[in-house]
Amino acid sequence: MEKERIIEELEKLLKNHDLTALRRMLSDIQPVDLADIFEQVPEETRLVLFRILPKDLAADTFAEMDHDEQEQLLTNFTDQEVKNVLNEMYTDDAVDMLEEMPAGFVKRVLAKATPDTRADINALLKYPEGSAGAVMTTEYVSLKANMTISEALRWIRAHGDDREDVYTCYVTDANRRLNGVLTVREMLLCKRDAYVSELMEDNIISVKTTDDREVAAQQLARYDLNSLPVVDGEGRLVGIITVDDAIDVLQQETTEDFQKIAGTTPSEEPYLKTPAWKMAGHRIVWLLVLMISDMISGGILGSFEDALTALPVLITFIPMLTDTGGNAGSQSSTLVIRGLALHEIRVRDLPRVLWKEFRVAILCGSVLAAFNFVRLSIQYPGQQMVAVTVAVAMFFTVMMAKAIGGVLPIIATKLKMDPALMASPLITTIVDAASLLIYLNVAKALLNI
Amino acid sequence: MEKERIIEELEKLLKNHDLTALRRMLSDIQPVDLADIFEQVPEETRLVLFRILPKDLAADTFAEMDHDEQEQLLTNFTDQEVKNVLNEMYTDDAVDMLEEMPAGFVKRVLAKATPDTRADINALLKYPEGSAGAVMTTEYVSLKANMTISEALRWIRAHGDDREDVYTCYVTDANRRLNGVLTVREMLLCKRDAYVSELMEDNIISVKTTDDREVAAQQLARYDLNSLPVVDGEGRLVGIITVDDAIDVLQQETTEDFQKIAGTTPSEEPYLKTPAWKMAGHRIVWLLVLMISDMISGGILGSFEDALTALPVLITFIPMLTDTGGNAGSQSSTLVIRGLALHEIRVRDLPRVLWKEFRVAILCGSVLAAFNFVRLSIQYPGQQMVAVTVAVAMFFTVMMAKAIGGVLPIIATKLKMDPALMASPLITTIVDAASLLIYLNVAKALLNI
């Protein structure tokens, strides 16, 4: 509600041409909240409001907007405004934005930037999407080993304004090779005439430009860093990844895992912003593949047609058995997929996972089998063997499902495939066919049909 | 492999009593890696290695260990060692550890801490688990508004050593009320004789001690903060949440969502560390609930027994229809659950979600129906109406599944329930029953059975 009230107030001030009050009001709002508000006002209002913002706030707000709104603003900006925004934005934010836009548009926009900015942005645009190089920024603080701490602090004071992170400083040699890391915290707490070389940490955690951005984000999170240095093949410092971007990467990668687990093609667009036809496209492939695979289950049922029509009550237990198998398998696969993503489980843990799932399956399978045996013995008093059949089938279904659910994601990882593909939808389909085979064979053997 | 090699090397040095080399080697390893290594060595070695570590590194490493290992070390520590570790650890880490331990043990451990540390820890232990109060730390930098920047920097130099975050400083009045926030970045870039009051930001983003820790972590991520102030009911600053802890909270909450989506009871224990009986306990409840719900599907099949035995080929399409319904519904529910968790979707978006799912369902449903119609027309040449039946049932199953999957998580949120409960397992069960009803009624109407 809050946001709606602010928009009303803004529109009132705008109608009264009270630009001073408008500017004061806008200046009190955080960039990310302003971006949200700007997305909800009409296009013309957006441009007007944007032009009222102080320059710094304008650039920060612009960086927080969604790509659609950024593109609309860029199209309507004067050349000078495009130049300002590009020069004020951190390169990683600019790259993030331009990556999503048509190549011709990017070229026209970059033509308006200063040569330095253009060169910086073009360099970053070359890294493949999803790599550490593509999310890093070039605005870091680099110090020399022979500086004293006072000199270093003076350098930060002179150049820190346009650095995305000033708290972690990188010590490089004449060839830009990364030799050490020094935090402002340490500088503040030590003597001012000490040398950078004495204080710097030379045991450095870094990633390569070509490393996966998820690996970079996980390193940053694991070692509780403010920023992580990114080096090229020769160990030269080329950029840093900041903690706020690392959080975004982790959230996006997790969303991708959710999408894959749901059996849809991953996409970075938020749910409500994805057009229906596009969303249908993301979903139809897996629906089709799984539906075709389900024909195997249909075939199995077809080949047991005589048994099923001879004792039709057997049909009524099919949903319970196949669903429980699917659920038991999904539980295992989802937890193993998450464990793999967090590196709590590794490929070499396969035997441990199998042994754990085996014991869990015996416990869960026994409870579910016993429950069914008791219920069916009461419900169908004369047909003890039907109760035995369902109970036995249930036990082995759970055993099979948990083994498949626990093992397949690890095997996928081993084969360099994405473990998240081995999630509920696929597991359910495999387990369905397997549980029908178990059930109908047990029925044939025990009931002589 | 790396880690195994380090452990071998450590054991060799230990056997040769080469403590100097051992200490040098250990000092080069990051605390979180040391914690990993310590968890893999035998208990006696762990204590010996721990005692070789420099005091600071020892405390940091201890804070990174799992609770089992922490408890084992605490049990074997001398009183002095317990005291050192508790005094060196940040209070939030100490609280995090003690929360998981038996009350009697906590009492004995705290008896060995200094009175100040004990009071700090006891204060934090009072906040309910999952609240901002329970994850915050009390080691922040607080400044006075009438200090100059030089004075502020001098204060940080004198007291910063034991503060968990020094980069964001909090300006409080005589009553500890939070009046402003000032970053070290701003202090470094401005004139040294400026006053804190001139530079501080008084438009403060903060949370209350009683707020959900997930809300706090999301605020910190949204506004790209280094730390977030936590205030009590009277607006007094009582602690801060640091960005590294916010990342942990976000990861844990996401893991909980994965666990719920998998149909298991959430648990903070890593997969491989959870005993099998406990894991079975987390899983059996949902398996039982869903299995019992599946009896409804069984009942539906039972009441159509005559139709199914009259035309047994109908049985063979059941897995395909129910599974596709389940998959279509899970796609929608999982994406909506994630959207709700990221605040991309809100309760008031219900009509928009429904409209989007409706259009996606028409597209997906048509493709799947057409596929089946063509396939079955070829496979069963004489029985055109069977093909029509399956195609029509498929279309309406997808429509129904996407509506249920898209809407239930939002309704759950509206009812103050956890949307993640409305995930695949439950959706599949509901959709199963509904798709059987659709299928069998369509069959009855079109095939006159």
Side-chain angles (χ1 to χ4, degrees), chain A residues 28 33 157 163 185 190 203 222-223 255 263 271 274 283 294-295 323 331 338 356-357 432, chain B residues 28 33 157 163 185 190 203 222-223 255 263 271 274 283 294 323 331 338 356-357 402 432:
Chain A
D28 268 353
D33 293 329
R157 174 199 278 271
R163 309 292 148 146
R185 180 191 186 114
C190 74
N203 188 2
R222 176 173 173 84
Y223 297 107
T255 301
Y271 179 91
T274 316
R283 297 186 188 179
D294 280 328
M295 290 183 196
D323 275 8
Q331 287 181 335
R338 181 62 179 163
K356 183 159 303 220
E357 290 298 333
D432 255 24
Chain B
D28 268 353
D33 294 329
R157 173 198 279 272
R163 309 291 147 148
R185 180 190 187 116
C190 74
N203 189 3
R222 178 174 172 83
Y223 296 106
T255 301
Y271 178 91
T274 315
R283 297 187 187 178
D294 280 328
D323 275 7
Q331 287 182 334
R338 180 63 179 163
K356 181 156 306 219
E357 291 298 333
K402 294 239 166 261
D432 255 24

Side-chain angles (χ1 to χ4, degrees), chain A residues 375-389:
Chain A
R375 165 175 82 104
L376 296 178
S377 299
I378 297 167
Q379 201 173 344
Y380 302 97
Q383 310 187 41
Q384 200 67 9
M385 281 319 280
V386 169
V388 174
T389 299

Side-chain angles (χ1 to χ4, degrees), chain B residues 103-143:
Chain B
F105 188 77
V106 171
K107 223 173 156 182
R108 282 203 307 281
V109 168
L110 281 182
K112 294 167 190 166
T114 58
D116 276 3
T117 307
R118 188 164 52 237
D120 276 355
I121 293 175
N122 271 326
L124 293 189
L125 277 172
K126 285 202 195 90
Y127 295 104
E129 232 187 300
S131 68
V135 291
M136 70 186 185
T137 185
T138 50
E139 286 105 342
Y140 52 83
V141 173
S142 85
L143 303 174

Side-chain angles (χ1 to χ4, degrees), chain B residues 158-394:
Chain B
H159 303 93
D161 198 28
D162 57 358
R163 309 291 147 148
E164 192 162 352
D165 176 40
V166 301
Y167 296 139
T168 306
C169 303
Y170 297 93
V171 187
T172 53
D173 65 13
N175 299 317
R176 282 190 24 228
R177 228 175 297 261
L178 181 61
N179 288 337
V181 174
L182 182 56
T183 64
V184 162
R185 180 190 187 116
E186 283 151 7
M187 292 193 222
L188 288 181
L189 300 180
C190 74
K191 290 214 205 87
R192 291 297 146 91
D193 55 0
Y195 282 96
V196 166
S197 55
E198 302 166 51
L199 286 166
M200 71 186 194
E201 170 69 52
D202 51 10
N203 189 3
I204 307 163
I205 293 150
S206 67
V207 292
K208 292 220 178 70
T209 49
T210 48
D211 283 344
D212 192 309
R213 63 177 197 161
E214 190 178 7
V215 171
Q218 282 172 339
Q219 291 280 314
L220 197 142
R222 178 174 172 83
Y223 296 106
D224 294 346
L225 304 173
N226 254 303
S227 63
L228 179 74
V230 185
V231 297
D232 66 11
E234 275 86 49
R236 283 185 300 245
L237 180 65
V238 286
I240 60 169
I241 297 175
T242 52
V243 64
D244 52 316
D245 291 337
I247 294 176
D248 291 346
V249 167
L250 291 175
Q251 301 254 45
Q252 280 167 21
E253 295 286 339
T254 308
T255 301
E256 262 188 32
D257 279 350
F258 271 93
Q259 290 167 334
K260 286 183 206 144
I261 283 181
T264 72
T265 314
S267 137
E268 279 200 14
E269 277 174 296
Y271 178 91
L272 289 174
K273 291 215 160 191
T274 315
W277 61 269
K278 215 172 183 180
M279 202 171 253
H282 291 155
R283 297 187 187 178
I284 192 68
V285 183
W286 268 108
L287 287 179
L288 261 175
V289 169
L290 295 169
M291 190 183 76
I292 294 170
S293 317
D294 280 328
M295 291 184 197
I296 298 172
S297 297
I300 294 171
L301 282 174
S303 68
F304 284 86
E305 223 174 83
D306 296 345
L308 291 170
T309 41
L311 194 58
V313 72
L314 290 180
I315 301 173
T316 63
F317 305 122
I318 290 176
M320 184 184 71
L321 280 163
T322 55
D323 275 7
T324 305
N327 290 334
S330 304
Q331 287 182 334
S332 310
S333 71
T334 309
L335 298 189
V336 170
I337 288 167
R338 180 63 179 163
L340 287 165
L342 293 175
H343 301 297
E344 286 172 6
I345 299 175
R346 285 157 205 276
V347 171
R348 63 164 178 268
D349 294 322
L350 181 60
R352 291 175 68 192
V353 170
L354 200 55
W355 173 229
K356 181 156 306 219
E357 291 298 333
F358 177 75
R359 286 172 298 159
V360 172
I362 287 184
L363 291 168
C364 290
S366 307
V367 173
L368 297 177
F371 180 93
N372 272 297
F373 178 76
V374 172
R375 164 176 84 103
L376 296 178
S377 298
I378 297 166
Q379 198 173 348
Y380 302 96
Q383 310 189 39
Q384 200 68 10
M385 282 319 280
V386 168
V388 175
T389 299
V390 173
V392 170
M394 178 61 81

Side-chain angles (χ1 to χ4, degrees), chain B residues 94-108:
Chain B
V95 167
D96 202 33
M97 166 183 86
L98 294 172
E99 260 175 1
E100 304 296 321
M101 294 179 179
F105 188 77
V106 171
K107 223 173 156 182
R108 282 203 307 281

